[in-house]
């Protein structure tokens, strides 16, 4: 007897965030932090450098709404007036990749550091897409909330509290650039240089950098810290050695005698959650909170991310040494690119995914993988001799 025809099941369509729950703020706002609640509609795999995809998706949204702002964010030589976080939530290792769990909620932060970006976010939220596409995986946007209150630089300067101690927690790997290398320590001068760069670029109230940082070096006291180092793959190429953890800071009595710099010190502390700390903050590094947060145990997913970073660093050193022996030009950039594409290929990522992230033709990425494997083979042969 023939079976009755069955109607194929349809996946439930993503629902829009209710307009009544969309946050808003005054047009004069210069600083604001948002957190998105995202739900994976299906379980799916992610490569450990997925923040590149989040970065690209956000910039594509900007390009669609405000092409002028998009051009500035891509080409501007100043500090970037935004940053993003990685996903917060249950990411489990699956082979050499991470796994998004269906029906799980993940949190994602976007922070604006200028009036132009704050205005963009305000307009964008009125016509927010239903999902974020991340490596072909849709994440449904279920809610948008204020994480860091809308404010201005002038307001931070006028209303900043002045407690005897301030706490900073670095909830994602944080690092500075110093003499061409990563510097994974929160030395006060590096911390406040990081915050002051953003302040001077976006506040319209620039401060002399040299004199302020000298005052920081002489008068900021570290009272306590609990830090650990981490190696992560960050940005489009290479790896970063950074730190996570918490620290308590205060000012000396001599420092308090300078009322203007003291006021700016506390304003920059309040700025930290908005702008993040250190470099590569537009790829999820340097997320900072004004509190002493206890360090969470290292997860298996973090160990997987560390493994990719360590492999990229190992290959970068090898390819750099080879090219220097041959007298090659542009040594560092090419070595880092070869190392990144080969390490990601070894982790099971497709040539197309790598090409998309690095803005390269897939054929170029394929060629780089071949050249990197050939160079690696030559190195192994030399070691055997």
């Amino acid at each position: 007897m023939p079976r009755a025809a069955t109607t194929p099941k349809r996946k439930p369509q993503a629902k829009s965030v209710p307009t009544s729950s969309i946050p808003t703020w005054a047009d004069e706002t210069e600083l604001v932090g948002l957190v998105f609640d995202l739900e994976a509609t299906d379980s799916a795999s992610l490569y450990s450098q997925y923040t590149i995809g989040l970065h690209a998706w956000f910039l594509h949204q900007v390009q669609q709404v405000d092409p002028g702002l998009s051009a500035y964010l891509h080409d501007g030589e100043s500090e970037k007036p935004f940053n993003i976080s990685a996903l917060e939530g249950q990411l489990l290792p699956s082979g050499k990749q991470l796994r998004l769990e269906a029906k799980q909620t993940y949190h994602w932060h976007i922070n604006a550091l200028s009036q132009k970006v704050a205005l963009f976010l305000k307009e964008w939220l009125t016509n927010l897409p239903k999902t974020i596409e991340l490596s072909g995986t849709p994440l449904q946007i279920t809610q948008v909330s204020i994480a860091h209150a809308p404010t201005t630089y002038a307001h931070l300067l006028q209303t900043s509290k002045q407690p005897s101690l301030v706490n900073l927690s670095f909830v994602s790997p944080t690092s500075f650039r110093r003499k061409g290398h990563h510097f994974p320590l929160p030395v006060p001068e590096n911390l406040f240089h990081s915050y002051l760069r953003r302040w001077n670029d976006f506040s319209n109230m620039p401060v002399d950098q040299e004199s302020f940082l000298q005052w920081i070096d002489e008068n900021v006291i570290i009272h306590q810290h609990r830090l650990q180092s981490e190696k992560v793959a960050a940005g489009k190429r290479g790896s970063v050695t950074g730190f996570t953890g918490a620290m308590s800071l205060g000012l000396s009595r001599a420092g308090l005698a300078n009322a203007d710099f003291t006021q700016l010190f506390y304003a920059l502390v309040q700025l930290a959650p908005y702008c993040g700390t250190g470099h590569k903050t537009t790829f999820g590094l340097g997320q900072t909170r004004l509190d002493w947060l206890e360090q969470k145990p290292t997860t298996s997913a973090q160990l997987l991310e560390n493994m990719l970073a360590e492999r990229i660093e190992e290959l970068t050193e090898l390819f750099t040494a080879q090219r220097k022996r041959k007298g090659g030009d542009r040594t560092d950039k090419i070595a880092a690119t070869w190392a990144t594409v080969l390490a990601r290929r070894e982790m099971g990522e497709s040539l197309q995914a790598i090409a998309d992230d690095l803005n390269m033709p897939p054929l170029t990425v394929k060629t780089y993988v071949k050249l990197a494997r050939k160079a690696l083979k030559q190195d192994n042969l030399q070691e055997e001799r």
Side-chain angles (χ1 to χ4, degrees):
M1 188 178 216
R3 294 182 180 180
T6 58
T7 303
K9 292 183 179 180
R10 294 181 179 179
K11 292 184 179 181
Q13 292 186 343
K15 297 179 180 179
S16 301
V17 179
T19 305
S20 58
S21 67
I22 294 294
T24 189
W25 48 85
D27 288 349
E28 295 77 24
T29 296
E30 296 171 323
L31 298 156
V32 64
L34 301 177
V35 58
F36 291 71
D37 291 357
L38 309 175
E39 185 177 295
T41 54
D42 293 298
S43 295
S45 294
L46 283 181
Y47 57 94
S48 58
Q49 272 187 292
Y50 67 85
T51 52
I52 299 173
L54 290 171
H55 176 272
W57 182 85
F58 176 67
L59 289 184
H60 180 65
Q61 295 295 307
V62 178
Q63 197 278 330
Q64 289 182 315
V65 176
D66 189 340
L69 177 60
S70 174
Y72 171 74
L73 295 182
H74 276 100
D75 304 328
E77 296 182 359
S78 70
E79 296 293 325
K80 299 300 183 185
F82 77 98
N83 62 71
I84 66 171
S85 74
L87 297 178
E88 299 173 1
Q90 190 177 41
L91 285 172
L92 301 174
S94 176
K96 294 182 178 181
Q97 297 192 323
L98 301 173
R99 188 166 182 81
L100 283 167
E101 294 297 318
K103 305 304 179 185
Q104 289 288 326
T105 296
Y106 298 88
H107 306 292
W108 182 47
H109 291 257
I110 299 177
N111 299 309
L113 310 181
S114 74
Q115 186 179 21
K116 286 183 179 180
V117 177
L119 283 170
F120 158 75
L121 290 178
K122 183 179 180 180
E123 179 184 355
W124 179 54
L125 291 182
T126 63
N127 193 28
L128 190 67
K130 296 178 182 179
T131 60
I132 290 175
E133 292 292 332
L134 182 58
S135 300
T137 300
L139 293 169
Q140 183 178 349
I141 301 173
T142 59
Q143 184 172 323
V144 185
S145 308
I146 297 288
H148 308 307
T151 189
T152 65
Y153 289 91
H155 186 72
L156 289 185
L157 193 63
Q158 294 163 5
T159 62
S160 56
K161 299 177 182 178
Q162 298 191 1
S164 58
L165 290 179
V166 295
N167 294 325
L168 293 172
S169 287
F170 310 98
V171 297
S172 68
T174 304
S175 185
F176 308 98
R177 293 293 291 175
R178 183 172 181 266
K179 297 182 179 179
H181 301 283
H182 302 299
F183 187 70
L185 286 173
V187 174
E189 186 175 0
N190 292 94
L191 283 175
F192 286 89
H193 183 206
S194 170
Y195 306 144
L196 186 65
R197 290 200 318 268
R198 277 83 168 192
W199 181 276
N200 281 348
D201 262 21
F202 305 123
S203 72
N204 294 317
M205 297 179 289
V207 174
D208 180 71
Q209 177 176 293
E210 184 176 354
S211 58
F212 178 72
L213 292 181
Q214 183 178 347
W215 177 85
I216 287 287
D217 185 46
E218 294 172 353
N219 294 288
V220 174
I221 302 166
I222 299 176
H223 289 271
Q224 187 180 5
H225 68 80
R226 186 174 298 163
L227 304 167
Q228 68 178 37
S229 61
E230 291 188 36
K231 192 178 295 295
V232 291
K236 295 186 176 182
R237 296 175 180 84
S239 62
V240 170
T241 302
F243 59 88
T244 55
M247 65 187 304
S248 291
L249 300 170
L251 291 176
S252 68
R253 289 184 180 180
L256 291 169
N258 188 324
D260 290 340
F261 281 175
T262 295
Q263 185 180 28
L264 180 60
F265 167 85
Y266 286 105
L268 293 180
V269 167
Q270 297 297 316
L271 175 64
Y274 296 94
C275 70
T277 304
H279 68 148
K280 295 188 181 291
T281 56
T282 57
F283 291 97
L285 296 193
Q287 290 282 300
T288 307
R289 303 289 182 265
L290 291 184
D291 201 354
W292 183 283
L293 302 178
E294 291 301 323
Q295 190 83 1
K296 295 179 181 179
T298 301
T299 65
S300 51
Q302 286 174 304
L303 293 175
L304 185 63
E305 294 173 22
N306 294 345
M307 184 171 69
L308 173 62
E310 289 170 359
R311 182 57 171 163
I312 290 174
E313 182 178 59
E314 176 188 11
L315 291 172
T316 299
E317 291 177 356
L318 186 153
F319 296 148
T320 299
Q322 283 185 340
R323 292 187 63 80
K324 284 183 177 178
R325 287 197 298 268
K326 296 176 181 179
D329 296 328
R330 298 182 298 155
T331 299
D332 293 340
K333 185 175 180 180
I334 291 179
T337 301
W338 283 14
T340 299
V341 297
L342 180 57
R344 290 180 62 172
R345 197 77 179 101
E346 289 175 346
M347 296 292 279
E349 294 179 47
S350 69
L351 292 173
Q352 186 64 56
I354 299 170
D356 290 344
D357 285 345
L358 301 183
N359 297 322
M360 290 181 180
L363 186 59
T364 301
V365 173
K366 185 177 181 180
T367 300
Y368 281 0
V369 171
K370 287 182 178 179
L371 291 171
R373 283 176 174 162
K374 182 179 178 181
L376 185 60
K377 186 177 181 179
Q378 288 174 347
D379 188 77
N380 289 337
L381 288 174
Q382 287 180 354
E383 288 184 356
E384 291 174 1
R385 290 172 183 171

